[in-house]
Structures are given as C-alpha cells and as structure tokens.
Amino acid sequence: MIALRKSGDRGHANHGWLDSYHTFSFADYYDPGYMEFSSLRVINEDRVAPGSGFPRHGHRDMEIISYVLEGALEHKDSMGNGSAITPGEVQRMSAGAGVMHSEYNASKTEPVHFLQIWIVPDVTGIAPEYEQKRFTDAEKQGRLRLVASPDGREGSLKIHQDALLYAALLNKGDVVTHAQRRGRKAYVHVARGKVRVNDDVLYAGDGARVSDESRVVLAGEDKAEVLLFDLL
C-alpha cells in the first residue's frame, strides 16, 4: 500500500528569514494523521534567507540529519564542532543527553535550501555525537546510495536507530529498485524533480508512505533527487 503526501498538503510556516514546509506535525503545525511514520519524526524543507539562521538552541534524544540541496549551512555546537555544510554533504547530530547548536546561512547573498530530518533514536541519554560526510553525485547517480545506517556500513553516517536512509539522483529513464523486507516500511521524499514511485507520479516536495509492498521502484520522469527511508 502506498499513501501519498502531496507537497501542497504539508504544513507551512513563513517567518520571513525562514520559509519552511513540514511533512509531519512540527511547532505550530499539528495534523494527528501525520505525527510520524515509524521512527521518522520530521522532514522539514527549509529555505533560510541570506545572513539569517537558527540561533543557539538545545535538543535531547533525537537523531538530526541535515541534507543540503543549495547554498552553505554554517553549523556550530556545544561539542566544539564548527563547519559549513554544502550540497553533497550530509550532517548527523545525535543530541543524546543534550546539545546546544546553531545553524546559519553562511552567505550574505544566496539562500540556503536544505532538508532537516529527525529520527527518534532507540537509545536515550547517550553522550552527544557529530558526524559530517560528503557523498558525490557520481555515488548517487542512477542508484540508491546509503547515507545513514545503524552500523555505518558502506561509509554511511551512523545513527542510533534501525533505519536506513538512501539518496539517489535520477535522470529521465533511470530506474532503481529497493527490495522491501517483510515487516518493514519505507518513506520516499522527492527533494527535486519528478519521479514515479511504483505506479504513482510524485513531484518535488511530495512524499509516499509505503507498507506491505515487496519492493519500491523509483523511475525518473525528469531529472530528480530522491530520499528513501527503510524503517522498522
């Protein structure tokens, strides 16, 4: 079964410096039908104006992944980490027992466009952790590249949950298939472009909850970038 989440049905908040679309309930946006999907708690599509950003604030017991699509996101945290995250790089922060951080647009002229992803961990109270890795376009072109996993396999980021996150770049005519193990679910989010997911066509910002399917077939209908979550 595939349940579509159309881009226009998401929650939306425009704060001037931040234009954000929420796939799941977040902040002032509440939809009891979209609280989470398995351990996947948040997919926010954020656009941050030049010279603006999220001031220093705290988190606890959450796996937070930042996936940058355009621009440069400047990160600083209470663990002493400081870096700029650019397209192709993925950041993982395990908040654990508590961490303070800030995220800013490093440019004075160009916006930042990124996906903020939260996954509920299977362990709480751990020491906070930080990790950042680059995944080249060539690694993702025409295939599902594992970018996060519970054991860091294949050079992926290591998260504290039985969840797998894949990223793919598809051209028109490209087809990739993900075998879905019995008892697991998938969530597909289209970051850019146009993709057919099994029998349904999805556009940028659209998502799909997948359950009781033996496979997820992604076919490029146009140049596209797609995230696929394999969840318990």
Side-chain angles (χ1 to χ4, degrees):
M1 181 178 71
I2 296 181
L4 301 185
R5 176 64 155 164
K6 303 301 289 183
S7 176
D9 294 334
R10 296 177 295 173
H12 182 220
N14 192 332
H15 303 286
W17 66 272
L18 171 66
D19 190 15
S20 183
Y21 286 87
H22 313 317
T23 294
F24 301 102
S25 295
F26 187 87
D28 293 333
Y29 170 65
Y30 175 72
D31 183 340
Y34 281 87
M35 295 300 297
E36 59 191 17
F37 185 63
S38 185
S39 59
L40 180 58
R41 178 62 187 85
V42 168
I43 303 178
N44 287 350
E45 182 182 3
D46 291 340
R47 288 177 171 85
V48 180
S52 300
F54 302 89
R56 187 175 171 90
H57 61 284
H59 292 286
R60 292 181 61 90
D61 295 325
M62 192 65 68
E63 301 294 297
I64 301 172
I65 297 170
S66 296
Y67 189 100
V68 176
L69 297 167
E70 295 175 312
L73 188 66
E74 186 177 285
H75 169 90
K76 292 182 181 179
D77 64 43
S78 55
M79 294 178 279
N81 299 298
S83 63
I85 311 157
T86 57
E89 294 179 314
V90 185
Q91 173 207 81
R92 183 269 300 185
M93 187 173 69
S94 296
V99 66
M100 301 292 291
H101 76 121
S102 62
E103 310 286 340
Y104 276 91
N105 185 344
S107 172
K108 298 185 184 301
T109 57
E110 301 296 328
V112 168
H113 181 198
F114 77 106
L115 299 175
Q116 179 185 168
I117 298 160
W118 293 9
I119 294 175
V120 179
D122 58 11
V123 62
T124 59
I126 63 171
E129 300 171 351
Y130 181 86
E131 193 178 10
Q132 182 176 329
K133 290 188 176 183
R134 173 171 290 280
F135 301 91
T136 67
D137 285 358
E139 293 178 81
K140 296 177 284 187
Q141 189 62 59
R143 63 184 291 261
L144 287 164
R145 173 57 162 108
L146 185 65
V147 298
S149 69
D151 53 7
R153 73 189 73 160
E154 300 174 24
S156 61
L157 301 167
K158 184 177 179 180
I159 56 175
H160 298 279
Q161 180 53 266
D162 185 2
L164 305 170
L165 170 57
Y166 297 87
L169 297 174
L170 302 175
N171 291 324
K172 186 174 182 179
D174 286 343
V175 178
V176 295
T177 300
H178 178 70
Q180 197 66 32
R181 287 178 289 162
R182 184 180 297 274
R184 296 185 69 88
K185 304 173 183 177
Y187 192 90
V188 177
H189 179 84
V190 181
R192 290 189 272 219
K194 180 182 177 184
V195 179
R196 183 177 296 276
V197 180
N198 289 15
D199 296 324
D200 297 293
V201 175
L202 278 68
Y203 298 84
D206 290 349
R209 297 185 293 192
V210 183
S211 55
D212 299 322
E213 297 280 344
S214 62
R215 61 180 187 165
V216 182
V217 180
L218 306 177
E221 296 279 316
D222 199 351
K223 191 172 182 179
E225 187 163 6
V226 187
L227 298 183
L228 184 147
F229 300 83
D230 183 315
L231 306 162
L232 185 63

